[in-house]
Amino acid sequence: VQLVESGGGSVQPGESLTLSCKVSSTTKLTFCMGWFRQAPAKERKAVAVIDMDGKINYADSVKERFTVSRDDEQATLYLQMNSLKSEDSDMYYCALRRSQYCSPEPHDYPDWGQGTQVTVS
């Protein structure tokens, strides 16, 4: 399984971005998927995870601003990022976990994309 993120970029505070994560798989998505972020020399941490039933958990810092969604038919995960702040700047990664339980811990996800940079300034 390969995951390819896109949609990152440089924006000003208050603007929006939409990240996409395309999963290359011939199997319809039935897994947990999530968006994570990481700054240089810091630990990777969860932004939002979504399970097969659409149950979502967001990091407190992004609640009311970010929206995660998935299109299982298109094998794509999205992250709509609104009202961006400078502190949202990071490398963003999507990840997949073959489990019904969507852990917020990065080490529970074996499959990762290459990341897409988000810069807000």
Side-chain angles (χ1 to χ4, degrees):
V1 176
Q2 289 186 324
L3 293 77
V4 179
E5 302 97 335
S6 61
S10 295
V11 297
Q12 295 183 345
E15 294 186 341
S16 299
L17 282 173
T18 300
L19 306 185
S20 300
C21 174
K22 178 69 175 178
V23 181
S24 63
S25 171
T26 58
T27 303
K28 180 181 176 181
L29 290 182
T30 56
F31 313 129
C32 286
M33 296 196 71
W35 287 100
F36 295 78
R37 59 187 290 182
Q38 188 173 24
K42 293 191 176 180
E43 294 186 353
R44 195 168 294 187
K45 55 185 178 181
V47 176
V49 295
I50 179 170
D51 71 10
M52 295 176 287
D53 297 321
K55 180 180 178 182
I56 299 169
N57 283 310
Y58 290 103
D60 288 342
S61 61
V62 306
K63 287 180 179 177
E64 308 299 329
R65 298 189 299 120
F66 291 10
T67 302
V68 63
S69 61
R70 57 191 289 170
D71 183 337
D72 291 347
E73 294 294 336
Q74 298 297 320
T76 304
L77 180 72
Y78 301 97
L79 184 67
Q80 176 66 43
M81 312 165 72
N82 296 329
S83 303
L84 282 161
K85 305 175 181 179
S86 58
E87 52 263 44
D88 295 320
S89 297
D90 260 336
M91 185 70 80
Y92 284 73
Y93 299 87
C94 69
L96 182 152
R97 181 172 191 242
R98 295 169 182 78
S99 171
Q100 291 184 340
Y101 170 59
C102 281
S103 167
E105 299 298 329
H107 61 75
D108 288 330
Y109 290 75
D111 296 300
W112 292 87
Q114 82 289 349
T116 185
Q117 179 69 42
V118 172
T119 303
V120 186
S121 64

